[in-house]
Amino acid sequence: MDLNLQINTKYKEEDTTDEPVSPSGQYFNSKTLSVRILGILESEIPIDDSNTFPLLEQLFLPINPRFSSIMVHDKKGVKHWKRVEVKLEEHVHVPKYPNGLSIEEYNDYFDKYLTEISIKPLPKDKPMWEIHFFKYPTIKSAGQVIFKFHHALGDGFSLMGALLSCMQRADNPSIPLTFPSIQPSSETKRMDDVGCVPKTMSAIYNTACDFGWSVVKSSMISDDKTPIRSGVQGVEFHPIQISTVELSLDHVKQVKNAIGATINDVITGIIFLGTRLYMQATGKEFSNSETTALVLLNTRNIDGYKSIKEMLKNDSNTKWGNQFAFLHVGLPSLVNDQSFNPLTFISQAQKTIKRKRNSLAVYLTGQSLEFLRKCRGPEASAEFIHSTLQNSTMTVSNMIGPVEKMSLANHPCKGLYFMVVGVPQSLTITIMSYMRTLRIAVGVEKGYIDAQKFNSSLENAFQLIYKAAMKNI
């Protein structure tokens, strides 16, 4: 491990001051919501965890004081991060299974273990993170490292930045990791400008419609019950099954170039079409049922990952924390006739998301949550977010990963993906790019959604879209 990455863990006196918990941090750790994030790293070689505690102390804990803090209330009921002594042995878990089993048997054990830790809440009397070492071979890798964080610590951008700060390039540790370029659109920049005013009548109209519909959808109208939405109360406490689908990033780029879309547009179209194919396979009546996806939008005005030092600065565009918003996007209907064109799922998703990002609905929704918090407290805002999630069908979020192969403590990383758990939905989908592969992770309500059939529907959707796009060349 590069010694230059090590950080002194002796905190200065001024560092011990309690940090107030941000409003979003309070929402995600409340009586109503307790949302966690899992990051799964697949190792090419068997895992050696002998240096775990020194690495955690020297690299991980100094990244952010929240990793050494618990959430407490003061006398006025205001939540703060309180620094505590971290007992590392309480945060590291290594499950034990019989030796000499087949890869398939260990794979089943891993799936069950992932389900087990997904549903289990993080203790509130210690810092809200854990690391799990699954030191057995599976179909995907020689071993797996699972990072479990509470969402109150930060969003995927912050936590992935923390994780990647502990990584190195596998080919040359002295060279930093690089990432695909991200060029924020003018719409994103405009949303981040608090004082901006829509300049066209269409933007004003879109803002009114989108904000009004978002409020109604979050508080009054729920999606239909379908093969991917059970609609039961307390679904966030049901066991989930996590699986993944791998797509070639080069093939996705071919589709992007052929139809003049973005990679995110193509991915969203694949997910929407695959979801409808799964629903239709269960019953024709679900081809046009009311189904809404919450597409997560990073509200930082950035062009890529920032260093931990930059994220800890008091800069609203890059700072650590939860800085994202939901976009309500309805899934297009699926009509199987001679006029069916799978590319319409991309074009419709592209059109809808672009229009919604061109309004100020996201900004107004954020202001409404803040107004609700000030008037009725953070629990009321958490209940509104819970209702937003519960009334929709699925959540879709994505992250970019390194272009080069990376390693963690000299363990080459074969694959990397993440999953958000503890949300009141039967279906959650996340996307992560790493090297030349897109990894789509699918979290489903166990026993309600057939994960294998759903994944096959996603793969079928990609093949339909790819073939249709190649005909345009």
Side-chain angles (χ1 to χ4, degrees):
M1 183 64 67
D2 186 355
L3 295 179
N4 292 327
L5 291 177
Q6 297 184 4
I7 305 174
N8 191 346
T9 57
K10 293 182 179 179
Y11 306 110
K12 297 179 181 179
E13 183 67 27
E14 59 266 28
D15 293 335
T16 61
T17 303
D18 290 355
E19 174 194 2
V21 178
S22 67
S24 54
Q26 297 180 55
Y27 306 156
F28 285 118
N29 186 32
S30 62
K31 296 178 182 178
T32 307
L33 282 174
S34 181
V35 184
R36 287 87 63 192
I37 299 175
L38 303 181
I40 298 92
L41 185 151
E42 298 168 340
S43 175
E44 284 189 352
I45 63 175
I47 293 175
D48 176 8
D49 61 347
S50 59
N51 292 323
T52 298
F53 293 150
L55 291 173
L56 287 175
E57 185 176 3
Q58 295 168 0
L59 289 179
F60 179 72
L61 292 184
I63 287 174
N64 194 301
R66 296 184 190 181
F67 295 147
S68 303
S69 304
I70 61 174
M71 193 179 293
V72 298
H73 297 79
D74 62 16
K75 295 180 179 179
K76 297 181 179 180
V78 179
K79 292 183 178 181
H80 295 266
W81 293 107
K82 180 178 178 60
R83 297 292 289 273
V84 297
E85 180 183 355
V86 182
K87 298 179 180 179
L88 292 175
E89 65 275 9
E90 296 180 349
H91 295 263
V92 178
H93 305 271
V94 185
K96 301 293 184 181
Y97 299 102
N99 294 322
L101 301 181
S102 67
I103 287 181
E104 289 74 19
E105 288 174 308
Y106 284 130
N107 205 77
D108 289 340
Y109 273 122
F110 176 74
D111 289 343
K112 292 176 182 177
Y113 187 71
L114 203 54
T115 295
E116 177 185 332
I117 66 173
S118 296
I119 195 171
K120 188 176 180 180
L122 286 160
K124 295 185 178 182
D125 60 348
K126 56 178 65 90
M128 297 187 288
W129 61 269
E130 294 175 347
I131 295 180
H132 301 254
F133 293 101
F134 190 88
K135 300 169 65 174
Y136 302 91
T138 63
I139 294 174
K140 296 289 187 180
S141 65
Q144 316 220 23
V145 184
I146 308 166
F147 301 87
K148 182 177 179 180
F149 300 102
H150 201 288
H151 214 318
L153 295 172
D155 57 15
F157 178 88
S158 297
L159 297 174
M160 188 57 64
L163 177 59
L164 293 174
S165 71
C166 300
M167 301 286 194
Q168 296 174 315
R169 279 182 60 152
D171 58 345
N172 190 341
S174 64
I175 302 175
L177 294 164
T178 60
F179 300 85
S181 175
I182 303 176
Q183 295 299 328
S185 66
S186 59
E187 291 88 351
T188 303
K189 293 179 181 178
R190 186 158 55 228
M191 278 194 304
D192 291 330
D193 184 358
V194 175
C196 66
V197 177
K199 297 181 179 179
T200 65
M201 291 302 297
S202 62
I204 296 174
Y205 176 79
N206 290 341
T207 296
C209 291
D210 293 341
F211 177 66
W213 173 244
S214 176
V215 172
V216 170
K217 191 68 180 170
S218 296
S219 57
M220 298 174 60
I221 300 177
S222 61
D223 279 356
D224 297 333
K225 292 185 178 181
T226 66
I228 60 170
R229 182 178 182 271
S230 65
V232 299
Q233 293 291 327
V235 67
E236 62 266 38
F237 304 113
H238 291 194
I240 70 169
Q241 182 177 354
I242 300 173
S243 57
T244 65
V245 173
E246 296 182 27
L247 300 179
S248 166
L249 184 57
D250 291 336
H251 288 168
V252 172
K253 288 180 178 179
Q254 284 182 289
V255 175
K256 166 185 107 54
N257 295 332
I259 63 177
T262 67
I263 289 180
N264 283 343
D265 294 333
V266 175
I267 296 171
T268 305
I270 293 169
I271 291 171
F272 284 5
L273 176 56
T275 301
R276 281 296 190 194
L277 289 173
Y278 176 84
M279 295 169 68
Q280 189 182 70
T282 305
K284 297 289 185 181
E285 67 274 17
F286 298 116
S287 298
N288 59 356
S289 57
E290 182 68 27
T291 303
T292 307
L294 292 176
V295 178
L296 266 66
L297 174 69
N298 187 344
T299 57
R300 294 175 176 86
N301 183 11
I302 54 173
D303 57 1
Y305 285 110
K306 301 297 180 184
S307 69
I308 295 299
K309 183 177 180 180
E310 288 177 301
M311 278 196 284
L312 293 179
K313 291 179 180 179
N314 189 23
D315 181 346
S316 60
N317 283 332
T318 63
K319 70 179 181 180
W320 184 284
N322 286 286
Q323 296 190 66
F324 64 89
F326 293 120
L327 296 181
H328 285 87
V329 182
L331 268 65
S333 299
L334 179 60
V335 180
N336 282 333
D337 56 27
Q338 293 182 349
S339 64
F340 168 68
N341 182 357
L343 298 180
T344 59
F345 275 77
I346 297 178
S347 60
Q348 289 189 39
Q350 180 185 39
K351 180 180 179 181
T352 302
I353 293 174
K354 182 178 180 180
R355 181 181 63 80
K356 287 179 177 290
R357 291 182 63 167
N358 195 33
S359 76
L360 292 178
V362 170
Y363 168 72
L364 292 177
T365 300
Q367 292 298 103
S368 298
L369 282 172
E370 180 64 10
F371 178 77
L372 187 61
R373 182 185 69 85
K374 290 180 177 179
C375 292
R376 298 178 53 194
E379 196 64 41
S381 297
E383 291 174 358
F384 184 85
I385 295 175
H386 184 279
S387 178
T388 300
L389 292 162
Q390 188 176 51
N391 287 352
S392 59
T393 295
M394 57 193 287
T395 299
V396 180
S397 60
N398 68 81
M399 299 283 294
I400 61 169
V403 174
E404 308 87 11
K405 178 176 288 188
M406 60 185 179
S407 66
L408 176 63
N410 298 318
H411 288 67
C413 177
K414 186 177 181 182
L416 180 67
Y417 60 97
F418 72 101
M419 178 54 59
V420 181
V421 298
V423 295
Q425 294 176 321
S426 300
L427 176 62
T428 302
I429 297 179
T430 65
I431 307 99
M432 181 94 191
S433 67
Y434 177 51
M435 296 193 289
R436 306 178 75 87
T437 300
L438 277 177
R439 196 75 169 270
I440 301 177
V442 180
V444 303
E445 181 182 352
K446 199 168 186 177
Y448 188 78
I449 300 175
D450 188 321
Q452 185 175 358
K453 289 184 178 179
F454 189 91
N455 291 353
S456 296
S457 297
L458 290 178
E459 292 169 344
N460 186 26
F462 174 67
Q463 292 300 324
L464 291 172
I465 286 175
Y466 183 77
K467 291 178 181 178
M470 293 305 100
K471 289 180 181 179
N472 293 343
I473 299 179

